Amino acid sequence: MKKTLANLSIAAGLIILMGGMLTYGLGINDIIQVPRPDLIAPGTTLIGIIFIVSGACDLFVKKTREMEIEEKDERNIALSNAAMASGFKVMNVSISVSLFILIFTGYMTVVPCFTIIGAFTIGQLAFILKLWHLQKTM
């Protein structure tokens, strides 16, 4: 399963990377009606490289038997979950403050604002639904 996801990540990265390079190489990025056509090639290149590197890291990391046992240790799982919970709280506050500052200083336009608010809302709903599910089952 993990190998399949890593391969999908690499494939998606290659498709995005090649798509960005083709739009730049064929000159399509000047024709496409987007607000910043000059950012199509660097943006898709960066996103493609990020997908490729993250997929490759998952593929090439070999775990020893001790690493697998330690990863499944309940104490380590609890520590990891506590760290993720703290990170989630910090991320929520920092995104909210950043969004507030960007909106009221005039740097945020409507589309990115609603996109970030939508992503933030999806994260909050996922948290609430998972909490509700865990309270019902445990």
Side-chain angles (χ1 to χ4, degrees), residues 3 12 17 27 33 37 44 52 55 62-63 75 84 86 107 117 128 130-131:
K3 203 171 201 180
L17 179 65
Q33 297 296 321
T44 54
I52 291 168
K62 299 282 185 198
K63 292 184 181 177
R75 180 178 177 273
M84 282 191 283
S86 298
Y107 289 106
I117 289 172
I128 291 168
K130 187 66 174 181
L131 180 65

Side-chain angles (χ1 to χ4, degrees), residues 29-104:
N29 62 332
D30 295 330
I31 301 170
I32 298 174
Q33 297 296 321
V34 293
R36 297 285 307 270
D38 57 322
L39 294 178
I40 291 175
T44 54
T45 301
L46 180 65
I47 293 168
I49 290 171
I50 289 171
F51 272 108
I52 291 168
V53 168
S54 67
C57 286
D58 286 344
L59 276 181
F60 296 124
V61 171
K62 299 282 185 198
K63 292 184 181 177
T64 63
R65 181 80 175 141
E66 293 92 27
M67 290 171 92
E68 288 180 15
I69 292 171
E70 187 146 333
E71 187 178 279
K72 294 177 184 176
D73 183 32
E74 289 183 21
R75 180 178 177 273
N76 290 336
I77 293 171
L79 290 173
S80 177
N81 288 340
M84 282 191 283
S86 298
F88 181 72
K89 290 176 186 177
V90 169
M91 183 184 63
N92 285 336
V93 171
S94 64
I95 287 176
S96 300
V97 170
S98 299
L99 195 59
F100 179 80
I101 290 170
L102 289 172
I103 288 171
F104 290 106

Side-chain angles (χ1 to χ4, degrees), residues 5-15 48 51-56 59-60:
L5 289 175
N7 287 333
L8 284 174
S9 176
I10 292 173
L14 286 172
I15 290 169
F51 272 108
I52 291 168
V53 168
S54 67
L59 276 181
F60 296 124

